[in-house]
Amino acid sequence: MAIPNIAVRGSTGLALHQSQSPYDPVSKFPSDVSPTFKFMLFGPNGKHFAWINNSKVVIVKTSDWKTIAELDYPKAAQLAYSSKGTYLVVYEPFMTTPSNPKGSPNVHILKTADGQLVKSLEYRDYKLWTPQWSSDEKICARFLNGDVLFYENSNFDNIIHRIKGLKLNNYSISPGNQPLNILCFIPAKTGPSNGRLFQYPDFSTIVANKSFFQADRVEIFWNLKGTASLMLTSTDVDKTGASYYGKQGLHLITSKGDTSQVIVNKEGPLYNAAWSPSSNEFCVIYGFMPSKATLYNLKCDAVMEFGTGTFNAVYYNPFGNILLLAGFGNVQGNAELWDINGKKKIKKMEIPDTTFLQWSPDGQHFVTATTAPRLKVSNGYKIWHYSGALLHEKPWGKDELYQVVWQNYPQGTFKTPNIVYKAVEGIASSQPIASKQVYRPPHARNTDFKPTSLHEDSSLETKNQSKAYLKMKKKREAKRQAKQSQDVDDLSNNKQSAVKTIEEPKDNEKLLRIKKIQSDLKSINRFKTLQSSGKELDNNQMARLKLENGLLAELKQLQL
């Protein structure tokens, strides 16, 4: 069974593992590759491969693995390719010295074919240093001091268009064919933040706008067609005290101008979200452990539930017909594979100590790895078939493994795999497996002692909770309900006063009033979000929506 090539780097250097038997390293790289080299990356179509070796950036062709260019960049730390692989971008940390107090350009755009320098740019902040290209590479965008600059036809000396004055915190250009969409995140110090969608090059017309509170930063996930995007908003601190993870929200915005919030049915953090390659569905993992996984359509309606488990990551294979749910980090290393079209679980398996997982381009295999510095012991990688069979493993012994990367291939190289539920022939792992036997304290041995598991089903979880915990949980719930009732009363009492001109209160009273209005507007915005998602509001909620204009007028007067 042929498996795509995979490159690995570790404390012993760089190697390519090819799809032949045995699946072991093949000498394809120069012998002077340093064991401490920093980074490696395949081009999007797999025709080129680049890495950072000491003070040099090396580019090779994967057809014969011959070196194209070897370039001096002593401080190089990261690499990125343009969407079609025509350009390689080299990042160096921005630095100033007594002899060069203003610093020098630190982001360099090279031609992949020969390593020729096209343009050097200056990025003082590491954030958003990577230029973004349209799928056809005709348009390139880069971030600069809260603005987005646009270039056309690889002419980086001429700025064609510019999004300016919005003080952006993040932006992303859509993949897929034209028209090109630009999604921008505009944070606000007071009031709501905004996700704003434009269609290139008309930045005077807003295609769609999504307002949300509690958003210090945002992650943007486009579907492959570029017709819809998810915005995962988050704050560092949850002011309600309900979570150590801060506060998150997930919002959908489309090129048709539709916006909505993704409503989940379990309290807790939002761990991960991923689009299906079909671009019509996305999966979200959320809630306190054991977490839940749900599949949503473009209307944000739940179309499939995967139940609960110790999951915090989701991965679609490249063809979208297999979904992998996994748990990493401080949760148990489990994984489940699902047949999306058949809506059936294929396999549940254990992947302990995993720090990295990636699907192969063929859609049938995936690699799991234990890498440094996340874990410095038992480093190595394993290649699995989607049926759960282990096909190959490579322990690193006392050495450290840093990075594992599948080689990319041109679109159409592989066909959609037909799913079978019978496991293919595999091998037994040589790695020691932790004992599954539950630890029993000495006083409880030879008894019916049954400890509580944090990873049991949520129904058992509630059953095994202590009385003190349940009592405290009940108090918190009562307190939350009381606060919601108070919000209703306060909003009703403010109905008349909101539309009238008020006398200037004392400073402390003024600040308190401003905070109260902002809280009321936040509550109103929550109802608007529910309404936009298709939920029908009751009469009381509809009445509160009508207070918005008056509250905004009062807030504006107080802030003068």
Side-chain angles (χ1 to χ4, degrees), residues 5 41-47 62 358 361 405-410 414:
N5 298 336
L41 187 67
F42 280 103
N45 54 19
K47 295 180 179 180
T62 57
Q358 185 185 22
V405 181
W406 289 106
Q407 181 176 349
N408 297 315
Y409 292 82
F414 302 100

Side-chain angles (χ1 to χ4, degrees), residues 107-326:
V107 172
H108 314 284
I109 302 175
L110 315 174
K111 282 188 177 179
T112 305
D114 55 13
Q116 178 184 347
L117 178 64
V118 177
K119 184 71 174 179
S120 290
L121 307 168
E122 181 180 296
Y123 279 81
R124 292 175 177 258
D125 189 358
Y126 177 76
K127 182 180 179 181
L128 298 176
W129 65 267
T130 311
Q132 297 185 32
W133 275 268
S134 59
S135 295
D136 58 10
E137 293 188 351
K138 291 182 179 179
I139 300 167
C140 179
R142 75 180 185 103
F143 186 79
L144 182 65
N145 300 327
D147 294 350
V148 182
L149 315 184
F150 293 90
Y151 308 88
E152 291 185 355
N153 301 317
S154 305
N155 183 358
F156 298 99
D157 294 322
N158 186 18
I159 300 172
I160 301 297
H161 298 286
R162 185 170 190 152
I163 300 177
K164 60 181 180 179
L166 297 182
K167 297 182 179 180
L168 305 182
N169 180 272
N170 198 353
Y171 82 104
S172 180
I173 69 175
S174 64
N177 299 323
Q178 300 287 357
L180 188 69
N181 297 303
I182 318 294
L183 181 55
C184 303
F185 172 58
I186 308 170
K189 294 183 179 180
T190 59
S193 300
N194 290 279
R196 194 165 293 174
L197 186 67
F198 301 98
Q199 188 176 108
Y200 183 87
D202 182 7
F203 300 118
S204 61
T205 302
I206 300 173
V207 176
N209 188 79
K210 185 72 178 75
S211 299
F212 33 72
F213 289 89
Q214 296 182 324
D216 297 331
R217 59 187 180 277
V218 66
E219 293 180 74
I220 299 174
F221 307 94
W222 282 101
N223 64 2
L224 286 181
K225 293 180 180 179
T227 57
S229 180
L230 292 170
M231 303 184 73
L232 178 59
T233 62
S234 58
T235 59
D236 294 324
V237 179
D238 182 3
K239 296 181 180 180
T240 66
S243 172
Y244 292 109
Y245 296 90
K247 189 76 172 178
Q248 293 95 18
L250 188 62
H251 309 269
L252 178 71
I253 190 165
T254 75
S255 58
K256 294 181 180 180
D258 300 325
T259 65
S260 57
Q261 182 175 2
V262 181
I263 306 298
V264 297
N265 58 9
K266 193 175 194 296
E267 290 188 7
L270 294 167
Y271 299 105
N272 196 211
W275 280 100
S276 165
S278 70
S279 296
N280 297 322
E281 297 175 333
F282 58 92
C283 183
V284 184
I285 298 183
Y286 57 92
F288 294 116
M289 290 293 167
S291 59
K292 290 192 69 176
T294 303
L295 190 67
Y296 294 87
N297 60 20
L298 287 174
K299 295 181 180 180
C300 292
D301 297 325
V303 296
M304 184 176 177
E305 297 282 358
F306 299 95
T308 60
T310 53
F311 308 128
N312 54 22
V314 55
Y315 302 88
Y316 278 96
N317 78 338
F319 301 95
N321 61 338
I322 303 176
L323 178 69
L324 191 154
L325 306 173

Side-chain angles (χ1 to χ4, degrees), residues 94-97 99-106 122 124:
F94 183 80
M95 297 179 66
T96 59
T97 62
S99 60
N100 185 17
K102 293 185 178 181
S104 302
N106 59 315
E122 181 180 296
R124 292 175 177 258

